[in-house]
Amino acid sequence: MRLSAFASSVALLAPLVLLAASPAAVAQDDSRAGKDELFALLASTEAGERARAYRLIGPGGANADMASVATRHLSKLLRTDIEAYETAESALLDLGPILSSTTAGRSLQKNVDKWEAARDKAVAAVSDETAWPSPGPTKPVGGPQKGAQKVTRELERAAKAFAKLDDPVREARGKLGTAEEQRARLDDLAARRLVIDERRERIEPLGGTAPKFEPAPLLMFELAQLLAEGKLAEAIELRGDLQGPDRVLFFCLYGQAMNEANEAADGAELDPGCHQAIERLNRLRMALGLLPYEVSKVLTDSLRGHLDEMREKRYFSHYSPDPARRTSQERARLLGWKSSTGENLSDAPPVKSIEIWLWDGGHGRIMFHPTFTWVGLSWNGAFSGMVIGGNESDANRIPRPDLLD
């Protein structure tokens, strides 16, 4: 009985002995729990939770134990984050390598040089009023005039050289997918960069060394995205002072975005064949380094009225018999236009008319006017024409800077 009672006493005391030994274990468990909480907070994608982690560490790593643990864990997280970023970045660059100067390299500069050489020759041919003269506003043109063949030849060479830059950009934009898909990629990379930068800033004051991180420049991708979203003014502001090939790439992106905007035609409801004519005309303009034309509803409507009048009254002239709307500028001003205009007319469909207007310097130089960047085109089955104009009167329109100087 005594042994049994003694054994019972030991049994009762044993838990007390174990309990008496537990404070260190509890402290260890608390420490483990604290570190686990710290790890979870540091790894969080929520800025507020990461801020809580830094408070646990204390300013300047005041909590030495936590700071040491945090430094090692932040380094591990950073390496993982950087690897994930580089994987996502590489996938984006693979979609549009020409939009990254780091991957496009020497071949891009070579194509830029070839285009600029061809462009300079084409500009010289178009600008030579002696070699490519104007027949005058009333003299009919029945075929290619003096110098037309050289101008056409130089234009085609410049356009071919420009296509070697423009077509890869167009292909890259196609691979990037919809504007929504591309925006999601860029936003994801931006969020990843933000977390990486924050962690790098936090680890260095704790005595740690942040892993190397050198993201590729994605400015051209961001500009392409803004243009795809129709945010031309934002893209122009963001581009800053681009240099070298990047400047030409933006020129390609801008021209493609403008052609896409012209598809909608700002409510101008262009006649059949006019979209193709504008795209053809803009490719020639850009081959010369000129801004592409943007469709104006005012100019289109004023031209359409004149073409319909010519058909109804059976005449063919820049000058209307109506004194109130005799010239293209007077007709445009009746609809609210306030700047100068120029006009080409033809009895051929729009695309064919572009070729006909290249027959002489007068009509040709209207198509290649360096500062007029608005256009109206129309075709009524009997006559077609184009009217160009300077800055539209609408104060809300986007400024049109010289993209290439």
Side-chain angles (χ1 to χ4, degrees):
M1 291 296 292
R2 290 180 181 173
L3 289 174
S4 177
F6 177 76
S8 297
S9 299
V10 171
L12 289 171
L13 289 171
L16 297 177
V17 172
L18 292 173
L19 287 173
S22 64
V26 170
Q28 186 176 10
D29 289 342
D30 288 344
S31 176
R32 179 70 258 174
K35 290 176 182 177
D36 288 343
E37 179 189 11
L38 177 64
F39 293 165
L41 292 174
L42 287 172
S44 174
T45 58
E46 296 295 330
E49 293 193 359
R50 293 197 302 274
R52 284 179 57 199
Y54 302 133
R55 286 197 295 272
L56 286 174
I57 299 168
N63 188 331
D65 185 44
M66 284 293 193
S68 176
V69 171
T71 300
R72 292 194 299 272
H73 196 63
L74 277 174
S75 295
K76 181 179 179 181
L77 287 172
L78 269 169
R79 284 191 291 272
T80 301
D81 288 343
I82 290 172
E83 288 175 3
Y85 179 91
E86 290 173 345
T87 299
E89 178 189 75
S90 179
L92 176 62
L93 296 179
D94 286 344
L95 292 174
I98 194 172
L99 298 181
S100 172
S101 57
T102 59
T103 56
R106 199 171 297 173
S107 61
L108 174 60
Q109 183 62 61
K110 185 178 179 180
N111 285 335
V112 169
D113 293 341
K114 287 182 177 180
W115 168 59
E116 289 179 341
R119 179 198 66 189
D120 291 347
K121 290 182 179 180
V123 169
V126 168
S127 304
D128 192 338
E129 297 186 25
T130 301
W132 195 40
S134 169
T138 58
K139 182 179 178 180
V141 179
Q145 304 293 291
K146 176 184 177 183
Q149 289 184 345
K150 179 180 179 181
V151 167
T152 301
R153 183 172 62 251
E154 297 297 345
L155 276 172
E156 290 302 329
R157 286 175 177 171
K160 185 177 180 180
F162 183 70
K164 291 185 177 180
L165 296 164
D166 198 48
D167 290 349
V169 171
R170 191 184 310 278
E171 181 182 355
R173 292 180 69 235
K175 289 181 178 179
L176 291 175
T178 65
E180 292 76 13
E181 290 170 337
Q182 174 64 351
R183 174 51 63 195
R185 291 190 197 97
L186 291 172
D187 287 349
D188 174 64
L189 286 171
R192 291 176 184 273
R193 278 197 307 273
L194 186 65
V195 173
I196 290 172
D197 290 343
E198 178 191 283
R199 286 175 174 157
R200 286 172 61 87
E201 290 174 2
R202 294 287 185 174
I203 197 173
E204 290 173 358
L206 298 176
T209 301
K212 187 177 181 181
F213 178 54
E214 295 180 351
L218 299 179
L219 175 60
M220 299 309 301
F221 288 92
E222 184 63 42
L223 291 172
Q225 176 61 26
L226 290 173
L227 291 170
E229 293 171 344
K231 300 176 181 177
L232 275 64
E234 290 184 35
I236 290 170
E237 182 178 357
L238 179 63
R239 72 182 175 120
D241 186 24
L242 293 175
Q243 300 295 325
D246 283 346
R247 195 169 183 81
V248 178
L249 290 178
F250 181 73
F251 185 60
C252 295
L253 288 168
Y254 185 90
Q256 292 173 22
M258 185 57 64
N259 278 330
E260 290 165 7
N262 284 339
E263 287 292 326
D266 197 22
E269 298 178 1
L270 292 185
D271 302 310
C274 288
H275 282 301
Q276 295 92 325
I278 291 172
E279 187 168 354
R280 165 67 173 162
L281 178 56
N282 276 346
R283 285 183 75 85
L284 291 176
R285 283 181 62 85
M286 294 187 70
L288 291 170
L290 300 173
L291 280 170
Y293 278 128
E294 182 171 357
V295 171
S296 162
K297 175 175 170 53
V298 171
L299 293 179
T300 298
D301 289 347
S302 69
L303 173 64
R304 183 177 288 131
H306 183 58
L307 297 183
D308 289 346
E309 182 187 77
M310 287 198 304
R311 181 178 57 183
E312 292 166 6
K313 296 186 177 181
R314 299 179 180 276
Y315 75 93
F316 182 71
S317 172
H318 291 289
Y319 304 103
S320 168
D322 184 345
R325 49 194 311 276
R326 180 165 170 73
T327 67
S328 64
Q329 187 161 335
E330 290 169 339
R331 293 188 286 271
R333 283 182 176 176
L334 288 174
L335 297 181
W337 195 263
K338 295 183 180 180
S339 70
S340 300
T341 62
E343 182 181 68
N344 281 345
L345 299 174
S346 169
D347 60 358
V351 175
K352 179 62 177 177
S353 294
I354 299 295
E355 309 309 318
I356 292 173
W357 292 329
L358 286 172
W359 284 352
D360 69 273
H363 292 90
R365 276 184 282 274
I366 283 180
M367 292 193 292
F368 304 130
H369 196 289
T371 59
F372 283 21
T373 56
W374 296 92
V375 68
L377 274 85
S378 186
W379 160 245
N380 62 12
F383 302 109
S384 65
M386 65 175 289
V387 175
I388 62 170
N391 294 327
E392 196 169 12
S393 56
D394 184 353
N396 294 322
R397 302 303 297 184
I398 296 167
R400 307 292 299 281
D402 183 353
L403 299 183
L404 286 176
D405 290 336

